[in-house]
Amino acid sequence: MKHHDADKITEIFRMEQNNLFRLACYKIGDTDRAADLVQDLFIKVLNNPDRDDIKDLKSYLYQSLLNACVSIFRSAHNATFVPLDNNIIDDDYNNDDFMQEYNTITATLQQIPAEQRDVIMLHTIGNKSFAEIAEIVGTPVATVKSRFRYGIEKIRKTLNNNKL
Amino acid sequence: MTCEEFRNRIAEMFDFEHIGNDLWKHISECDNCRNYYAECCTVVNFITPKAKLEIPHFTFEKPCSKRRISRPMRYLSYAALAIIAALFAGVAVRYYDLSNTAQAATQAFGNASLAMSEVKNFSATIMVRTRPQDNFNFIDIDAPFVEHTLAVTHSGDHCLWCISKGNHHVVCDGMAQYQWQDDVAKAYISPYDENIIGIFNVLVNIGQLMDYEMTMAKQSGNHYDIARSDSLLTLTVRSVQKESPNPILKQHNYLTQFDNEREYVFDIPTNRLLQMRYCIIDDGKKQIVLESRFIDYNHDTAMAQTIKIPTTQHEWIDLRSDIEVQPDRLTMLQHETPTEAATRILTSIFGQNTSTASEALILYDTDQLADTWKGYKLIGAKETIHSEGYAGVYVVLEVISPHNQHNTIVIALRNDNPLRIWRIDGGI
Ligand SMILES: [Zn+2]
């Protein structure tokens, strides 16, 4: 049994917060909700009475985040693709860039199975190595690598076909 | 290796931890697989987000001591030994046989140095193992990758650059450096020649990095591997600990205690650097600590990123003109040792009395600082560490957390300011 004191949890959280936040943003397409989700996640882990039983805290954070994103995405699915507003207000330019990119990336990744999508997003957005991803999704590294490969391969073929 | 094997293992080309040298070798010899790899890069690039997201300020219930001391301490005695060994080694004449690979490496780095001196603009995405909150001068083998974007442009005699990670930005307009965080009111203007971006200073002057590697290839005991194809040249340099005072790695004393491997990919037609990767070898395991994702020589990208300074949105503090300090106090501050300064400053922070150390805390929001360290007690300073690449010093201190735990913290102090007084530069 590993003991996770509050200082340790805070430290891991500080290190991972940017990656967790970005991953949540591109999972659910809403930066405000993503921020809330990450903040809630921290409080939940800190208040979890069983937190000492968690073997790998970092993996646990990512697993919990992915699960939370799935439920949010399901409940809000009908309202996700909001058409872009052309009247961009000054300090909102970031969000506009984000929504465009979110829509492109989501549409591209929709073509591949969810487990391949998770591996790819943990890698390109969460900046996790394949070994770390294996811990998070609970499969051998070889499986993670082949999911990445099949996912990329499928998208590559589609992009090539569209070009022709 | 067959083409089928290469395709089966294509994922490894994108891993952060393992690099298959046999894979690089294969694409240097096989046009089909090289094209396949290039297409996969395009796909990965396409689905990798580039929009700048404003990272929200998350609140943490409990404060924490940010710097862990385990690694630097573990290698400290080795560092001392290595210095003594280096002193003795200077007496003996060392002879290194220049094999063909070393000559080829000299030539490749020389060509790249020349090509880079003609490059007016470039931008790059650099992944570094560090902590999002830290300054731009810290590599931590155990930390996750944090994305940094860098854009450099030359205008007349001036070098302009811009670097960002998350919501933290530094821009140099050739005359001064502007440093701000999106969600923090205070922002700072520093003299243009003060090194506030640490390892990235090396990357801004990437031609000089190539010069350094060329010089090393001529004279050092490094091991070189070269893979060549029609258009790509991949050069892998392996250095035994302490043999190579690499300008990036030497900024961290503890990193130079490991063997390291540096991989550079050049575009043969233009001689330009396309990709670089730095690995640390710890107990036989290769760990990438720094990796470039996309080095882009497109003029417009570089220009566009270099010029946005939000002058009206922050409270700008000009560090070029210094604050006023009473003469008696100034004399006292100038005569402090780093340990004395660190002890005095931390005592005032922990005692919720930051105004008595305001000269040293100019870079910080003092209310927030007092809040973060509420309930901590200082036991005392343990030692002072000097790191070759850092202009200041590190002081190691022992503290007791509000939960009665003993913690070791390391704070960075520097006095290379016009007043010559110690100021906190990081670690709290
Ligand atoms: Zn092949």
Side-chain angles (χ1 to χ4, degrees):
Chain A
M1 194 171 81
K2 221 175 177 176
H3 180 68
H4 299 299
D5 56 56
D7 285 356
K8 181 78 190 159
I9 293 174
T10 310
E11 191 188 339
I12 292 182
F13 209 85
R14 273 188 205 280
M15 295 214 289
E16 299 293 335
Q17 59 175 3
N18 287 9
N19 287 337
L20 288 166
F21 172 66
R22 286 164 54 87
L23 188 61
C25 286
Y26 285 91
K27 271 274 170 192
I28 61 179
D30 182 334
T31 50
D32 290 340
R33 292 193 76 173
D36 290 345
L37 204 68
V38 175
Q39 181 69 66
D40 288 352
L41 182 64
F42 174 68
I43 304 293
K44 250 187 235 165
V45 176
L46 207 62
N47 294 337
N48 184 348
D50 301 326
R51 72 183 193 215
D52 289 351
D53 297 334
I54 301 167
K55 259 194 359 217
D56 177 351
L57 201 57
K58 193 171 71 182
S59 299
Y60 175 82
L61 283 177
Y62 281 90
Q63 283 158 10
S64 311
L65 186 83
L66 289 177
N67 289 341
C69 288
V70 169
S71 16
I72 285 191
F73 192 80
R74 276 205 193 114
S75 62
H77 195 245
N78 297 336
T80 358
F81 292 97
V82 185
L84 292 173
D85 190 351
N86 288 328
N87 305 319
I88 306 157
I89 26 174
D90 204 29
D91 61 339
D92 217 29
Y93 72 98
N94 279 342
N95 202 42
D96 184 57
D97 281 351
F98 163 71
M99 278 318 288
Q100 271 190 24
E101 212 170 36
Y102 167 76
N103 286 336
T104 317
I105 292 176
T106 309
T108 311
L109 293 175
Q110 278 311 321
Q111 321 163 39
I112 59 173
E115 58 268 25
Q116 292 174 15
R117 197 157 58 223
D118 278 352
V119 166
I120 289 176
M121 290 179 90
L122 280 165
H123 187 75
T124 56
I125 303 168
N127 290 317
K128 293 279 153 282
S129 72
F130 293 127
E132 289 169 307
I133 297 171
E135 292 288 327
I136 295 167
V137 300
T139 56
V141 185
T143 313
V144 169
K145 285 181 185 165
S146 51
R147 281 181 190 171
F148 181 86
R149 178 183 143 224
Y150 289 132
I152 296 297
E153 181 63 13
K154 164 89 183 166
I155 299 168
R156 185 182 74 92
K157 281 185 182 145
T158 323
L159 290 178
N160 276 350
N161 287 344
N162 288 348
K163 256 190 267 170
L164 292 175
Chain B
M1 176 179 288
T2 65
C3 297
E4 197 189 340
E5 273 166 14
F6 179 84
R7 285 179 182 232
N8 286 340
R9 288 176 53 194
I10 185 76
E12 289 174 39
M13 295 292 287
F14 295 92
D15 204 350
F16 299 134
E17 281 177 2
H18 300 280
I19 322 141
N21 278 333
D22 46 343
L23 294 169
W24 279 112
K25 190 168 182 297
H26 183 79
I27 48 168
S28 73
E29 291 155 356
C30 172
D31 287 345
N32 277 341
C33 290
R34 192 163 56 247
N35 289 338
Y36 175 71
Y37 171 60
E39 280 185 17
C40 290
C41 287
T42 311
V43 171
V44 172
N45 191 1
F46 185 69
I47 54 177
T48 301
K50 282 151 214 83
K52 273 193 186 135
L53 288 180
E54 223 169 279
I55 307 291
H57 187 78
F58 295 109
T59 47
F60 304 99
E61 261 182 26
K62 309 261 183 358
C64 76
S65 63
K66 279 173 67 186
R67 279 181 196 262
R68 279 170 316 110
I69 187 59
S70 57
R71 267 172 199 281
M73 293 304 291
R74 196 175 124 206
Y75 293 98
L76 209 62
S77 51
Y78 291 103
L81 280 178
I83 290 166
I84 295 163
L87 286 175
F88 281 103
V91 181
V93 179
R94 302 187 77 167
Y95 175 71
Y96 293 114
D97 180 33
L98 274 185
S99 64
N100 285 336
T101 48
Q103 266 171 10
T106 308
Q107 199 186 358
F109 286 122
N111 289 344
S113 165
L114 213 61
M116 303 310 263
S117 71
E118 281 159 18
V119 164
K120 288 279 167 271
N121 309 291
F122 74 92
S123 64
T125 301
I126 316 270
M127 308 301 291
V128 183
R129 284 194 190 275
T130 182
R131 283 161 303 199
Q133 253 72 352
D134 255 302
N135 58 26
F136 290 93
N137 195 19
F138 198 78
I139 297 178
D140 182 344
I141 298 188
D142 296 326
F145 277 101
V146 178
E147 185 176 305
H148 297 70
T149 52
L150 170 71
V152 180
T153 188
H154 288 269
S155 165
D157 288 340
H158 292 299
C159 176
L160 293 74
W161 50 257
C162 160
I163 171 149
S164 295
K165 72 166 163 181
N167 56 17
H168 193 166
H169 319 274
V170 186
V171 168
C172 178
D173 66 358
M175 285 168 284
Q177 296 177 86
Y178 303 80
Q179 188 177 177
W180 75 95
Q181 289 182 59
D182 293 336
D183 52 357
V184 177
K186 276 190 186 174
Y188 306 92
I189 308 175
S190 309
Y192 84 97
D193 55 351
E194 195 173 298
N195 183 0
I196 54 177
I197 54 164
I199 54 172
F200 287 92
N201 246 324
V202 180
L203 297 170
V204 166
N205 300 304
I206 209 154
Q208 283 174 25
L209 178 65
M210 296 295 100
D211 270 346
Y212 156 79
E213 290 286 12
M214 179 183 73
T215 320
M216 290 312 287
K218 273 183 186 158
Q219 61 186 10
S220 83
N222 293 334
H223 181 269
Y224 293 88
D225 267 345
I226 294 188
R228 198 189 301 253
S229 73
D230 292 344
S231 62
L232 285 182
L233 186 98
T234 303
L235 233 163
T236 311
V237 189
R238 261 176 235 105
S239 293
V240 179
Q241 47 177 316
K242 275 288 175 188
E243 287 286 350
S244 171
N246 181 278
I248 289 180
L249 299 177
K250 82 170 182 195
Q251 307 219 4
H252 300 74
N253 243 340
Y254 85 96
L255 285 181
T256 56
Q257 306 309 313
F258 296 97
D259 294 355
N260 68 70
E261 189 174 288
R262 312 187 292 281
E263 185 179 272
Y264 298 96
V265 182
F266 301 101
D267 179 45
I268 293 175
T270 61
N271 284 322
R272 285 172 181 171
L273 181 68
L274 288 185
Q275 208 185 5
M276 59 185 280
R277 242 176 196 175
Y278 277 46
C279 301
I280 291 298
I281 301 166
D282 184 10
D283 290 335
K285 199 189 149 205
K286 245 189 246 175
Q287 173 86 315
I288 300 175
V289 291
L290 181 147
E291 179 182 51
S292 71
R293 281 274 174 87
F294 312 107
I295 300 182
D296 181 0
Y297 297 96
N298 180 306
H299 177 90
D300 296 335
T301 331
M303 271 314 284
Q305 289 176 356
T306 316
I307 42 178
K308 293 177 206 152
I309 300 170
T311 41
T312 55
Q313 286 155 31
H314 294 271
E315 177 202 332
W316 288 90
I317 296 162
D318 195 336
L319 299 175
R320 293 170 300 178
S321 52
D322 223 297
I323 50 159
E324 272 185 42
V325 182
Q326 294 298 320
D328 287 357
R329 185 163 174 81
L330 184 62
T331 314
M332 185 277 279
L333 296 175
Q334 287 173 336
H335 284 86
E336 274 182 321
T337 64
T339 313
E340 285 164 356
T343 312
R344 177 180 58 80
I345 298 159
L346 280 195
T347 307
S348 67
I349 298 170
F350 293 178
Q352 305 291 299
N353 199 5
T354 51
S355 61
T356 57
S358 54
E359 312 93 344
L361 298 170
I362 195 160
L363 296 175
Y364 290 84
D365 176 337
T366 47
D367 290 341
Q368 203 188 328
L369 209 56
D371 205 40
T372 307
W373 293 94
K374 208 181 207 156
Y376 274 83
K377 288 191 194 79
L378 179 66
I379 298 180
K382 285 162 82 176
E383 65 184 305
T384 311
I385 302 172
H386 294 265
S387 188
E388 202 185 330
Y390 179 56
V393 294
Y394 297 104
V395 178
V396 185
L397 301 116
E398 204 178 345
V399 300
I400 298 183
S401 82
H403 327 293
N404 269 327
Q405 279 180 325
H406 281 252
N407 287 340
T408 303
I409 62 168
V410 181
I411 63 172
L413 291 160
R414 58 198 290 173
N415 68 348
D416 55 340
N417 49 64
L419 292 182
R420 313 297 301 166
I421 60 176
W422 292 105
R423 285 196 167 132
I424 303 231
D425 191 35
I428 54 171

